[in-house]
Amino acid sequence: MTRHLTLALTLLLTLPVWAGDITVGQGGNIHEALKQAREWRRTGDPRCKGGIHIIVEGGRYYMNEPLFIRPEDSGTSSSPTIISGAASGAPTVICGDMPQRHTQLFPAEGMERIAGFDPERRTITIPTPPAEVLQTPRLEMVVHQRWAIAILRVRDMRVEGPLTEVTFMEPESRLEFEHPWPQPVIGGEKGNSSFLLRTTEQYDGIEQLVVIQGSEEHPVNYVKLANLTFEHTCWNRPQHKGHVTLQGGFPLVDAYKLKENEGLPWDKGLENQAWIERPVAAVNVSHATHVDVDRCVFKNLGSTALDFADAISDCSVAHSLFEHIGGTAIMGGSFAESPREVHRPYDQLASRCRRLRIADNNILDASCEDWGAVAIGLGYVSDCTVSGNSISRVNYSGICVGWGWTALPTGMENNHITGNKVSDYARQLYDAGGIYTLSNQPRSSIRDNEIGKPYPAPYATNDRGFRIYLDAHTDGFTIENNTTKDDNQPESRLIRRDEIGDNQPGPSIIFRQ
């Protein structure tokens, strides 16, 4: 009897307080904890009943490789897999390497206007920098291009008195000069495009912290990340390939202008062809359902913070803070990445991102590295909701929903942008909106949002900044009860129809005061 009692007490003491709990102490290994949970799932361990909760105690956990969450780690509606920080004490920080640091050399502060842009010779002409800058190795040029930036690695600089002609490395030189939109502006309404020269001190570092990835046949289901801080990732691409984008921070991998017989059957005036890739994300979710991110902090990240990339449904991010994000804070849905050509009218992609909920998050200081990124960017999506978020300090647009630049049916529908607050946007780039939409999205709405006026961007070459921007064939939206505050009027007022930017809007836009 005594021996049986001793054995029972021993077994009891070796189990956590809750049978499905796995605790990772400071200095512990989150990968091993997840492996233990996976084995419980695989063997049908009774501790799975009611869910598995991996509790990571406060402290810093350096990730020299991402935490991979796979289909075998899936939970169920009654037995989810939860990874969370401890309820009290120091924050739980999952981190990589400090983002790259840059030293701006010319001009010493701000940007300078370019003097010339020559697509035939593939050169940009600038005011001649000081001799010490001309002699600096591994220079890169950041170019302001209306609604995007380009980061071009400098190959050579040829001085001609007060002006210097700059050439660039490949592949960015070809992409920058062969693709027509965007390119630097010469003789814009407010002057030429601007540039700066800089160096980057740190080379490659950790880019991803968590990858949640299933497959078409076996998605990841019922996983939750809660009360975690994700901090410090790098963005390695510009140092290897430069960074020439189409829009929204999406790098071009191939691009050119149609020089003969412009136009395609779905767009008679189409002149540009482009293939893009997706920016890297600190936390990436694909082929997954019921993946929730709640009460987390994302900060000091080099590129995208959180990406619901492909084949996801019924996922959410809520009550989380995003601060000092190099690229886009929250991204979701397909953007017709390569091997697709981005300007074709696709009608099957929106079903691959459905019922994504982005609610009650606070986004401060997004697009710090890539000014053309946004706070919240959704591509081909359907039945998605963006509600109750607060957005401030972003260099391009605030909330962007839609892709495709087409009036044709795309499957995008029933998307709702409701009750958000957007301020201090378009800080550097124009052709922007506090809320920005593209293409035909039936039964969608923009309601009850408070949107400040665009920031007076110092290097913009035009004045195309809008509170709401219905770009390229936007249709299907009901727009009502959206308000703004002017600098000289502390009280909110309704946004007028003439304050909304239009670019070939469709016939089914409903605007109500």
Side-chain angles (χ1 to χ4, degrees), residues 337-405:
E337 297 89 351
S338 181
R340 304 176 184 91
E341 198 284 318
V342 75
H343 296 95
R344 290 175 175 265
Y346 297 99
D347 60 7
Q348 76 278 20
L349 296 179
S351 63
R352 300 185 68 82
C353 182
R354 302 174 60 208
R355 297 185 297 279
L356 173 62
R357 185 176 69 94
I358 302 172
D360 303 312
N361 302 288
N362 193 2
I363 301 174
L364 302 170
D365 227 7
S367 68
C368 299
E369 284 286 329
D370 183 353
W371 295 350
V374 302
I376 297 173
L378 303 182
Y380 285 98
V381 299
S382 62
D383 302 295
C384 292
T385 303
V386 181
S387 64
N389 302 283
S390 178
I391 295 167
S392 181
R393 299 200 305 270
V394 60
N395 287 310
Y396 180 47
S397 295
I399 299 170
C400 300
V401 178
W403 201 243
W405 302 274

Side-chain angles (χ1 to χ4, degrees), residues 118-144:
D118 189 335
E120 297 300 321
R121 301 182 64 235
R122 295 189 179 179
T123 61
I124 294 177
T125 302
I126 62 173
T128 296
E132 60 270 20
V133 175
L134 293 169
Q135 296 164 7
T136 302
R138 289 185 60 196
L139 273 178
E140 58 188 21
M141 180 183 287
V142 179
V143 187
H144 186 292

Side-chain angles (χ1 to χ4, degrees), residues 238-252:
Q239 299 179 91
H240 296 277
K241 301 179 181 180
H243 183 61
V244 182
T245 64
L246 179 72
Q247 186 173 331
F250 285 87
L252 294 168

Side-chain angles (χ1 to χ4, degrees), residues 197-264:
L197 294 173
R198 70 185 189 187
T199 59
T200 298
E201 287 74 38
Q202 179 186 339
Y203 211 56
D204 290 357
I206 299 299
E207 292 186 301
Q208 291 191 291
L209 301 175
V210 177
V211 175
I212 301 174
Q213 184 175 27
S215 65
E216 293 284 353
E217 299 82 9
H218 302 289
V220 175
N221 300 311
Y222 292 99
V223 169
K224 183 175 183 177
L225 305 178
N227 196 31
L228 299 167
T229 295
F230 301 97
E231 185 176 18
H232 292 161
T233 55
C234 292
W235 180 36
N236 299 330
R237 178 189 171 87
Q239 299 179 91
H240 296 277
K241 301 179 181 180
H243 183 61
V244 182
T245 64
L246 179 72
Q247 186 173 331
F250 285 87
L252 294 168
V253 295
D254 197 7
Y256 56 86
K257 178 178 180 177
L258 297 173
K259 296 180 180 178
E260 297 181 7
N261 302 318
E262 281 184 14
L264 291 166

